[in-house]
Amino acid sequence: MDKFVIRGGNPLGGTLRVSGSKNSALPCMAAAILTEEEVVLENIPQVRDIETERKLLTSMGAEVELGYGRAHHRTTISCRVLSDPTAKYEIVKTMRASSLVLGPLVARTGMARVSMPGGCAIGARPIDQHIKGLETMGAQIDYEHGYIEARAERLKGAHILFDKITVTGTEDLLMAAVLAEGETVMENCAREPEVTDLAALLTAMGAKVEGAGTPTIRVRGVDKLHGAKHRINPDRIEAGTFLVAGAITGGDLHVTQCKPAHLAAIIAKLQECGVRIEIAGEDQIRVRSEGQLRAADISTEEYPGFPTDMQAQYMALATQAEGASLVKENIFENRFMHVQELVRMGANIRVDGRTATVRGKTPLSAAAVMCSDLRASASLVLAALVADGESILDRVYNIDRGYERIEEKLRGVGAQIRRMGNVF
Ligand code: EPZ
């Protein structure tokens, strides 16, 4: 299992390029199920979850060519033949976002067999809203041997009101609705940019979608969709992580190929902490800090609020800020896996239910730490960049799930970081 070796203390300086968004790419790849024609996606990030999605689609009979070597990372997906509309447990257990194939499979083939996602490090993460929506659209749902079986001759347009705001639930049912008979109105939808990105691809494929990015999405079902070409949005969470890297190390970074509009809540919070942020053009942000940071509270909310996927990274920064920062995690019930590891590095953090109180500024000392979930791992990288000494981060496959060659990118702006294969 690969490890990272990181020696802290270097202020980062230079340019960091942001890759395509994993959380846009996953639903857009699943959308290819909806047509027998080829779908071409550009700017797909080279991360483990994309490889998992490739395996999932090819296990159903799709042809997927990940184009990392090619210009624009041009990936082609052809679901002309879907011989086995099943998402097997072996794959789903490694990536919960596999549930994104549920809606498109039922819409395209009339049936889907998807393993119930198992537990997850950050919470129960049920998919009851996905299932309830499909039932409302007329799907027959059965459960057996740990699988959900959904069947429908043809889904019917319906009025869907989400009990909870769910990103992949919105995406899954949006993909179900585009081939349904009649109109579907979905209320209390997620407004994340990844939903809007998916809707842009579906529209390019011939779908009739209005309101993506707002709480109410209207879909007029069509009989067939055609192939399309689409460029995936930049990854706003990777961009946010890089902004924190510049701030926490007291550096001066240009974060490029990003969409500043998607980072408004993160930028506002960093500025509240005393970080200097300049929007330098439509796809570039400059972040500078002389290291004096002020404490500021966060409360994670659905988009456009402060994203839960940036909570762990922000907590690392808060350990270096003067004062007490309250970090409230409202989206997931167990997303403080990074706390104990940060405490082992010298942070002063107390957790009470869903709120962590971070008291800073505390010097961090290098340690051997364990990566757990994707964003907790990013938090440990950020802490190690300012810790005194050399930290060893184990199980970095968690980071590789959502960050494209992060050690190469960070080394390129002055970080002392290297990947170490299993030494025994
Ligand atoms: C997406 O997960 C992202 N993943 C997550 O990013 C992100 O943390 C999350 O949205 C919240 O922004 C992808 O897009 C692939 P939810 P998702 O459904 O869709 C509850 C990362 O780090 N819920 O919006 O699975 C759920 O338990 C990952 O890149 C139900 O109760 O999250 C959670 O408490 C981690 N029933 C809340 O809603 C449902 O049917 C929000 O979950 C669905 C969700």
Side-chain angles (χ1 to χ4, degrees):
M1 241 180 266
D2 284 4
K3 302 173 194 284
F4 279 166
V5 180
I6 302 175
R7 175 167 293 280
N10 291 15
L12 301 187
T15 298
L16 275 175
R17 184 185 60 75
V18 174
S19 300
S21 162
K22 153 180 96 77
N23 291 351
S24 266
L26 291 171
C28 286
M29 288 174 77
I33 291 170
L34 293 163
T35 177
E36 55 198 23
E37 297 182 15
E38 187 174 78
V39 171
V40 178
L41 298 173
E42 294 186 342
N43 204 29
I44 296 280
Q46 186 166 0
V47 297
R48 284 170 68 100
D49 276 6
I50 298 301
E51 173 54 25
T52 304
E53 177 94 344
R54 182 195 65 77
K55 273 193 214 133
L56 175 61
L57 291 173
T58 47
S59 74
M60 294 176 189
E63 287 162 31
V64 181
E65 203 177 323
L66 293 177
Y68 297 131
R70 294 206 295 267
H72 305 292
H73 276 192
R74 184 166 294 132
T75 283
T76 57
I77 303 170
S78 166
C79 297
R80 195 166 40 76
V81 174
L82 286 172
S83 48
D84 180 9
T86 301
K88 296 179 182 62
Y89 174 67
E90 291 68 32
I91 295 179
V92 176
K93 73 179 178 185
T94 65
M95 185 179 73
R96 317 177 41 66
S98 306
S99 58
L100 278 167
V101 302
L102 187 57
L105 278 179
V106 181
R108 167 77 189 282
T109 70
M111 81 89 73
R113 204 164 164 273
V114 174
S115 165
M116 289 289 278
C120 168
I122 61 178
R125 301 181 73 185
I127 57 169
D128 57 297
Q129 297 297 306
H130 303 230
I131 295 163
K132 189 178 155 195
L134 284 175
E135 284 179 320
T136 309
M137 296 174 81
Q140 166 68 34
I141 306 283
D142 297 302
Y143 301 88
E144 60 163 11
H145 309 308
Y147 280 76
I148 306 156
E149 291 211 351
R151 293 172 191 279
E153 192 61 31
R154 183 179 183 184
L155 292 168
K156 302 229 176 330
H159 179 254
I160 293 170
L161 173 60
F162 288 102
D163 302 332
K164 270 185 86 90
I165 295 174
T166 158
V167 177
T168 50
T170 301
E171 293 163 346
D172 209 0
L173 293 171
L174 174 55
M175 289 190 277
V178 294
L179 287 178
E181 186 181 352
E183 184 179 57
T184 297
V185 177
M186 303 197 307
E187 293 195 80
N188 199 23
C189 296
R191 295 186 275 166
E192 271 69 3
E194 292 75 47
V195 174
T196 314
D197 210 9
L198 171 64
L201 167 61
L202 293 171
T203 303
M205 292 167 70
K208 307 291 181 210
V209 180
E210 284 169 14
T214 76
T216 302
I217 298 178
R218 289 176 188 284
V219 181
R220 271 184 296 117
V222 296
D223 294 337
K224 218 168 162 58
L225 292 178
H226 50 73
K229 188 167 97 170
H230 177 69
R231 183 171 177 80
I232 299 292
N233 264 342
D235 191 316
R236 61 192 170 94
I237 303 302
E238 184 190 26
T241 305
F242 289 161
L243 292 178
V244 173
I248 201 171
T249 59
D252 182 350
L253 281 180
H254 282 84
V255 176
T256 65
Q257 297 195 26
C258 63
K259 280 197 174 173
H262 293 166
L263 289 139
I266 298 163
I267 289 169
K269 189 52 66 178
L270 292 178
Q271 288 173 328
E272 191 182 334
C273 296
V275 179
R276 294 164 66 192
I277 304 248
E278 275 164 61
I279 310 297
E282 62 175 23
D283 68 348
Q284 210 175 118
I285 301 173
R286 183 179 183 185
V287 56
R288 276 179 290 173
S289 161
E290 278 74 45
Q292 285 76 31
L293 298 166
R294 295 188 296 269
D297 298 346
I298 62 162
S299 177
T300 63
E301 306 293 345
E302 292 88 358
Y303 192 88
F306 191 93
T308 174
D309 289 353
M310 280 297 300
Q311 178 259 105
Q313 298 91 310
Y314 180 79
M315 195 182 282
L317 184 72
T319 68
Q320 302 306 300
E322 290 297 339
S325 304
L326 292 185
V327 175
K328 188 146 187 318
E329 173 53 61
N330 294 308
I331 308 294
F332 290 109
E333 62 266 32
N334 183 34
R335 202 167 196 176
F336 286 145
M337 308 280 278
H338 41 289
V339 169
Q340 285 320 313
E341 298 302 293
L342 292 172
V343 166
R344 292 184 59 242
M345 295 176 80
N348 177 345
I349 306 171
R350 191 174 300 285
V351 173
D352 176 10
R354 288 201 174 197
T355 301
T357 303
V358 185
R359 284 185 173 76
K361 174 173 182 171
T362 51
L364 298 181
S365 62
V369 289
M370 187 77 75
C371 294
S372 54
D373 62 276
L374 169 56
R375 307 303 175 181
S377 311
S379 170
L380 298 179
V381 169
L382 294 166
L385 289 173
V386 291
D388 174 24
E390 194 166 79
S391 297
I392 309 273
L393 278 63
D394 203 353
R395 299 190 182 173
V396 294
Y397 62 84
N398 286 294
I399 300 176
D400 293 332
R401 291 191 55 171
Y403 289 91
E404 187 176 68
R405 293 197 301 279
I406 192 169
E407 77 277 15
E408 290 175 22
K409 290 188 176 184
L410 291 176
R411 206 166 35 241
V413 289
Q416 292 186 75
I417 176 173
R418 63 187 165 81
R419 182 183 292 260
M420 196 166 71
N422 212 334
V423 288
F424 39 83

Short mmCIF file of all heavy atoms in Angstrom, two decimals, residues 202-236:
data_model
loop_
_atom_site.label_atom_id
_atom_site.label_comp_id
_atom_site.label_asym_id
_atom_site.label_seq_id
_atom_site.Cartn_x
_atom_site.Cartn_y
_atom_site.Cartn_z
N LEU A 202 -26.88 16.02 -20.66
CA LEU A 202 -28.17 15.41 -21.05
C LEU A 202 -28.85 16.26 -22.12
O LEU A 202 -29.40 15.74 -23.09
CB LEU A 202 -29.06 15.24 -19.82
CG LEU A 202 -28.58 14.23 -18.77
CD1 LEU A 202 -29.44 14.32 -17.51
CD2 LEU A 202 -28.59 12.81 -19.34
N THR A 203 -28.79 17.56 -21.96
CA THR A 203 -29.40 18.47 -22.95
C THR A 203 -28.69 18.31 -24.30
O THR A 203 -29.34 18.21 -25.35
CB THR A 203 -29.31 19.92 -22.45
OG1 THR A 203 -29.96 19.99 -21.16
CG2 THR A 203 -29.98 20.89 -23.43
N ALA A 204 -27.37 18.19 -24.26
CA ALA A 204 -26.60 17.99 -25.51
C ALA A 204 -26.98 16.66 -26.16
O ALA A 204 -26.87 16.49 -27.38
CB ALA A 204 -25.11 18.02 -25.21
N MET A 205 -27.47 15.72 -25.33
CA MET A 205 -27.86 14.40 -25.86
C MET A 205 -29.30 14.41 -26.37
O MET A 205 -29.83 13.41 -26.84
CB MET A 205 -27.70 13.34 -24.76
CG MET A 205 -26.25 13.06 -24.35
SD MET A 205 -26.12 12.08 -22.82
CE MET A 205 -26.71 10.49 -23.37
N GLY A 206 -29.99 15.58 -26.20
CA GLY A 206 -31.35 15.69 -26.71
C GLY A 206 -32.42 15.70 -25.63
O GLY A 206 -33.62 15.71 -25.93
N ALA A 207 -32.01 15.70 -24.36
CA ALA A 207 -33.00 15.70 -23.27
C ALA A 207 -33.59 17.09 -23.13
O ALA A 207 -32.99 18.09 -23.55
CB ALA A 207 -32.35 15.28 -21.96
N LYS A 208 -34.81 17.13 -22.52
CA LYS A 208 -35.49 18.42 -22.30
C LYS A 208 -35.51 18.69 -20.79
O LYS A 208 -36.36 18.15 -20.07
CB LYS A 208 -36.94 18.34 -22.81
CG LYS A 208 -37.06 17.86 -24.25
CD LYS A 208 -36.51 18.89 -25.23
CE LYS A 208 -36.66 18.41 -26.69
NZ LYS A 208 -35.58 18.97 -27.53
N VAL A 209 -34.52 19.46 -20.32
CA VAL A 209 -34.36 19.69 -18.88
C VAL A 209 -34.36 21.18 -18.61
O VAL A 209 -33.69 21.95 -19.29
CB VAL A 209 -33.02 19.10 -18.38
CG1 VAL A 209 -32.85 19.33 -16.88
CG2 VAL A 209 -32.91 17.61 -18.71
N GLU A 210 -35.15 21.60 -17.61
CA GLU A 210 -35.13 23.03 -17.21
C GLU A 210 -34.94 23.11 -15.70
O GLU A 210 -35.48 22.26 -14.97
CB GLU A 210 -36.48 23.68 -17.56
CG GLU A 210 -36.67 23.99 -19.04
CD GLU A 210 -38.13 24.40 -19.31
OE1 GLU A 210 -38.89 24.68 -18.33
OE2 GLU A 210 -38.52 24.38 -20.48
N GLY A 211 -34.18 24.10 -15.26
CA GLY A 211 -34.09 24.38 -13.83
C GLY A 211 -32.94 23.72 -13.10
O GLY A 211 -32.84 23.82 -11.88
N ALA A 212 -32.04 23.03 -13.84
CA ALA A 212 -30.89 22.42 -13.13
C ALA A 212 -30.10 23.53 -12.43
O ALA A 212 -29.92 24.61 -12.97
CB ALA A 212 -30.01 21.70 -14.12
N GLY A 213 -29.71 23.26 -11.20
CA GLY A 213 -29.00 24.28 -10.41
C GLY A 213 -29.95 25.07 -9.52
O GLY A 213 -29.52 25.89 -8.70
N THR A 214 -31.28 24.79 -9.68
CA THR A 214 -32.25 25.42 -8.78
C THR A 214 -32.95 24.29 -8.03
O THR A 214 -32.82 23.12 -8.39
CB THR A 214 -33.34 26.20 -9.58
OG1 THR A 214 -34.27 25.26 -10.15
CG2 THR A 214 -32.72 27.05 -10.69
N PRO A 215 -33.75 24.61 -7.00
CA PRO A 215 -34.40 23.54 -6.23
C PRO A 215 -35.46 22.76 -7.02
O PRO A 215 -35.82 21.65 -6.65
CB PRO A 215 -35.05 24.28 -5.06
CG PRO A 215 -34.31 25.57 -4.96
CD PRO A 215 -33.88 25.92 -6.36
N THR A 216 -35.95 23.35 -8.14
CA THR A 216 -37.00 22.66 -8.92
C THR A 216 -36.53 22.39 -10.34
O THR A 216 -36.15 23.32 -11.06
CB THR A 216 -38.29 23.51 -8.96
OG1 THR A 216 -38.70 23.75 -7.62
CG2 THR A 216 -39.40 22.78 -9.71
N ILE A 217 -36.53 21.11 -10.72
CA ILE A 217 -36.09 20.73 -12.07
C ILE A 217 -37.28 20.11 -12.80
O ILE A 217 -37.99 19.27 -12.23
CB ILE A 217 -34.93 19.72 -12.01
CG1 ILE A 217 -33.71 20.35 -11.31
CG2 ILE A 217 -34.54 19.24 -13.41
CD1 ILE A 217 -32.50 19.41 -11.15
N ARG A 218 -37.53 20.59 -14.02
CA ARG A 218 -38.60 20.05 -14.86
C ARG A 218 -37.99 19.30 -16.02
O ARG A 218 -37.05 19.81 -16.66
CB ARG A 218 -39.48 21.19 -15.42
CG ARG A 218 -40.34 21.86 -14.42
CD ARG A 218 -41.12 23.07 -15.01
NE ARG A 218 -41.79 23.78 -13.94
CZ ARG A 218 -42.89 23.34 -13.34
NH1 ARG A 218 -43.45 22.21 -13.76
NH2 ARG A 218 -43.44 24.01 -12.35
N VAL A 219 -38.54 18.11 -16.28
CA VAL A 219 -38.02 17.29 -17.38
C VAL A 219 -39.18 16.86 -18.26
O VAL A 219 -40.19 16.36 -17.75
CB VAL A 219 -37.31 16.02 -16.85
CG1 VAL A 219 -36.75 15.20 -18.00
CG2 VAL A 219 -36.20 16.39 -15.86
N ARG A 220 -39.06 17.07 -19.58
CA ARG A 220 -40.05 16.49 -20.49
C ARG A 220 -39.42 15.27 -21.13
O ARG A 220 -38.39 15.38 -21.83
CB ARG A 220 -40.46 17.53 -21.55
CG ARG A 220 -41.65 18.39 -21.06
CD ARG A 220 -42.17 19.37 -22.10
NE ARG A 220 -41.20 20.36 -22.45
CZ ARG A 220 -40.68 20.49 -23.68
NH1 ARG A 220 -41.07 19.64 -24.64
NH2 ARG A 220 -39.79 21.41 -23.93
N GLY A 221 -39.97 14.11 -20.84
CA GLY A 221 -39.38 12.86 -21.33
C GLY A 221 -39.36 12.78 -22.85
O GLY A 221 -40.26 13.31 -23.50
N VAL A 222 -38.33 12.20 -23.41
CA VAL A 222 -38.24 11.96 -24.87
C VAL A 222 -38.09 10.45 -25.08
O VAL A 222 -37.85 9.70 -24.13
CB VAL A 222 -37.05 12.72 -25.50
CG1 VAL A 222 -37.25 14.22 -25.37
CG2 VAL A 222 -35.73 12.29 -24.85
N ASP A 223 -38.28 10.03 -26.35
CA ASP A 223 -38.23 8.58 -26.61
C ASP A 223 -36.81 8.05 -26.72
O ASP A 223 -36.53 6.90 -26.44
CB ASP A 223 -38.98 8.27 -27.93
CG ASP A 223 -40.47 8.57 -27.77
OD1 ASP A 223 -40.94 8.56 -26.60
OD2 ASP A 223 -41.14 8.86 -28.77
N LYS A 224 -35.89 8.93 -27.16
CA LYS A 224 -34.54 8.44 -27.44
C LYS A 224 -33.54 9.58 -27.23
O LYS A 224 -33.89 10.75 -27.39
CB LYS A 224 -34.47 8.01 -28.93
CG LYS A 224 -33.65 6.76 -29.21
CD LYS A 224 -33.92 6.30 -30.65
CE LYS A 224 -32.86 5.35 -31.15
NZ LYS A 224 -32.72 4.14 -30.32
N LEU A 225 -32.35 9.24 -26.85
CA LEU A 225 -31.28 10.25 -26.75
C LEU A 225 -30.16 9.85 -27.70
O LEU A 225 -30.00 8.66 -28.02
CB LEU A 225 -30.74 10.33 -25.32
CG LEU A 225 -31.71 10.91 -24.28
CD1 LEU A 225 -31.06 10.89 -22.90
CD2 LEU A 225 -32.13 12.33 -24.63
N HIS A 226 -29.41 10.84 -28.16
CA HIS A 226 -28.29 10.57 -29.08
C HIS A 226 -26.96 10.87 -28.37
O HIS A 226 -26.94 11.38 -27.25
CB HIS A 226 -28.43 11.41 -30.36
CG HIS A 226 -28.66 12.88 -30.11
ND1 HIS A 226 -27.68 13.74 -29.65
CD2 HIS A 226 -29.78 13.64 -30.19
CE1 HIS A 226 -28.17 14.95 -29.52
NE2 HIS A 226 -29.45 14.93 -29.82
N GLY A 227 -25.90 10.52 -29.02
CA GLY A 227 -24.56 10.75 -28.46
C GLY A 227 -24.26 12.23 -28.39
O GLY A 227 -24.99 13.07 -28.93
N ALA A 228 -23.20 12.58 -27.68
CA ALA A 228 -22.81 13.99 -27.56
C ALA A 228 -21.37 14.06 -27.09
O ALA A 228 -20.79 13.04 -26.68
CB ALA A 228 -23.72 14.70 -26.56
N LYS A 229 -20.82 15.27 -27.17
CA LYS A 229 -19.48 15.52 -26.64
C LYS A 229 -19.63 16.60 -25.55
O LYS A 229 -20.40 17.55 -25.72
CB LYS A 229 -18.54 16.02 -27.74
CG LYS A 229 -17.08 16.11 -27.29
CD LYS A 229 -16.14 16.30 -28.48
CE LYS A 229 -15.81 17.79 -28.63
NZ LYS A 229 -14.73 18.02 -29.61
N HIS A 230 -18.93 16.42 -24.44
CA HIS A 230 -19.11 17.36 -23.33
C HIS A 230 -17.80 17.49 -22.55
O HIS A 230 -17.08 16.49 -22.36
CB HIS A 230 -20.22 16.83 -22.40
CG HIS A 230 -20.45 17.67 -21.19
ND1 HIS A 230 -21.00 18.93 -21.24
CD2 HIS A 230 -20.20 17.42 -19.87
CE1 HIS A 230 -21.09 19.42 -20.01
NE2 HIS A 230 -20.61 18.53 -19.16
N ARG A 231 -17.49 18.71 -22.12
CA ARG A 231 -16.29 18.91 -21.30
C ARG A 231 -16.70 19.01 -19.84
O ARG A 231 -17.57 19.79 -19.48
CB ARG A 231 -15.54 20.19 -21.74
CG ARG A 231 -14.25 20.42 -20.97
CD ARG A 231 -13.42 21.56 -21.55
NE ARG A 231 -12.22 21.77 -20.73
CZ ARG A 231 -11.11 21.03 -20.82
NH1 ARG A 231 -11.07 20.02 -21.69
NH2 ARG A 231 -10.07 21.26 -20.05
N ILE A 232 -16.08 18.19 -19.02
CA ILE A 232 -16.41 18.13 -17.59
C ILE A 232 -15.91 19.39 -16.87
O ILE A 232 -14.83 19.91 -17.17
CB ILE A 232 -15.72 16.89 -16.95
CG1 ILE A 232 -16.21 15.61 -17.62
CG2 ILE A 232 -15.91 16.84 -15.45
CD1 ILE A 232 -17.64 15.27 -17.33
N ASN A 233 -16.69 19.87 -15.92
CA ASN A 233 -16.29 21.03 -15.10
C ASN A 233 -14.99 20.77 -14.36
O ASN A 233 -14.68 19.62 -14.03
CB ASN A 233 -17.36 21.24 -13.99
CG ASN A 233 -18.39 22.27 -14.38
OD1 ASN A 233 -18.19 23.08 -15.29
ND2 ASN A 233 -19.52 22.24 -13.69
N PRO A 234 -14.25 21.84 -14.00
CA PRO A 234 -13.10 21.65 -13.11
C PRO A 234 -13.57 21.21 -11.73
O PRO A 234 -14.71 21.49 -11.33
CB PRO A 234 -12.47 23.05 -13.04
CG PRO A 234 -13.14 23.87 -14.07
CD PRO A 234 -14.45 23.24 -14.39
N ASP A 235 -12.66 20.58 -10.99
CA ASP A 235 -13.02 20.04 -9.67
C ASP A 235 -12.94 21.15 -8.62
O ASP A 235 -11.85 21.56 -8.22
CB ASP A 235 -12.06 18.88 -9.32
CG ASP A 235 -12.56 18.11 -8.10
OD1 ASP A 235 -12.99 18.76 -7.12
OD2 ASP A 235 -12.56 16.87 -8.14
N ARG A 236 -14.10 21.59 -8.13
CA ARG A 236 -14.12 22.73 -7.19
C ARG A 236 -13.55 22.34 -5.84
O ARG A 236 -13.06 23.19 -5.09
CB ARG A 236 -15.55 23.27 -7.05
CG ARG A 236 -16.54 22.26 -6.51
CD ARG A 236 -17.98 22.74 -6.67
NE ARG A 236 -18.91 21.66 -6.36
CZ ARG A 236 -19.46 21.47 -5.15
NH1 ARG A 236 -19.24 22.33 -4.18
NH2 ARG A 236 -20.27 20.45 -4.94
#
